[in-house]
């Protein structure tokens, strides 16, 4: 058993606690978890580092003890890409919502004559009953305004 200088053991402890997810606080690293068990786990990591175990050995030991699912590191590709995908989908949803709201606002700002359905040359020049009903509804809304 070789002893490691305290500064090196502290560095190993800090790096592992910042990298590995806490088995006690889902979604948080060991370092950011407020649970007393996380502090004990951090102390255990420090003890292992002081006895001369490498960062890789300690990490492997913890992964065997808690499992990859619970302790998976925050640089895990699934976590990183999954988070990025969720953020991208959320941004697309927000953008779609804003564009719809702007479109509705612009439609309401135009005079009713601009919202009159244009005849489709392929169908002939007469509007359908559904188009006439929609126009009546729009005109009722303008009258109520």
């Amino acid at each position: 058993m070789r002893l490691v200088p305290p500064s090196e053991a502290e560095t190993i402890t800090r790096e592992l606690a910042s990298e590995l997810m806490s088995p006690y606080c889902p979604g948080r690293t060991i370092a950011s978890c407020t649970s007393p068990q996380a502090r004990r786990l951090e102390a255990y990591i420090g003890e292992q580092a002081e006895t001369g175990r490498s960062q890789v050995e300690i990490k492997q030991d913890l992964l065997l003890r808690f499992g990859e699912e619970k302790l998976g590191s925050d640089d895990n590709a699934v976590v990183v890409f999954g988070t990025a995908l969720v953020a991208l989908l959320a941004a697309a949803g927000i953008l779609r919502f804003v564009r719809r709201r702007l479109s509705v606002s612009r439609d309401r700002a135009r005079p009713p004559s601009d919202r009159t359905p244009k005849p489709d040359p392929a169908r002939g020049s007469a509007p359908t009953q559904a188009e006439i009903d929609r126009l009546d509804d729009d005109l009722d809304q303008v009258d109520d305004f």
Side-chain angles (χ1 to χ4, degrees), residues 36-109:
Q37 289 95 341
R39 298 296 67 79
R40 285 194 284 275
L41 184 56
E42 220 169 7
Y44 171 79
I45 293 170
E47 291 167 5
Q48 296 300 306
E50 287 173 359
T51 62
R53 293 188 71 193
S54 73
Q55 188 168 342
V56 172
E57 291 172 327
I58 298 169
K59 184 175 180 178
Q60 289 300 330
D61 176 46
L62 293 172
L63 288 173
L64 286 173
R65 184 173 163 191
F66 293 102
E68 177 72 31
E69 305 82 38
K70 281 189 176 180
L71 204 65
S73 64
D74 63 357
D75 62 349
N76 185 343
V78 173
V79 172
V80 172
F81 291 119
T83 303
L85 179 64
V86 168
L88 184 63
L89 290 174
I94 291 169
L95 180 63
R96 185 175 181 193
F97 174 78
V98 168
R99 289 183 70 194
R100 280 186 176 173
R101 297 293 293 182
L102 289 175
S103 175
V104 168
S105 296
R106 269 187 254 129
D107 277 350
R108 289 185 179 157

Side-chain angles (χ1 to χ4, degrees), residues 115 130-144:
R115 288 188 273 164
E131 291 171 330
I132 293 170
D133 292 340
R134 210 169 332 136
L135 179 60
D136 285 339
D137 290 341
D138 286 344
L139 289 173
D140 290 339
Q141 286 178 353
V142 171
D143 289 340
D144 291 339

Side-chain angles (χ1 to χ4, degrees), residues 112-129:
S113 61
D114 289 348
R115 288 188 273 164
T116 304
K118 306 291 185 243
D120 183 4
R123 279 192 321 200
S125 59
T128 65
Q129 187 60 42

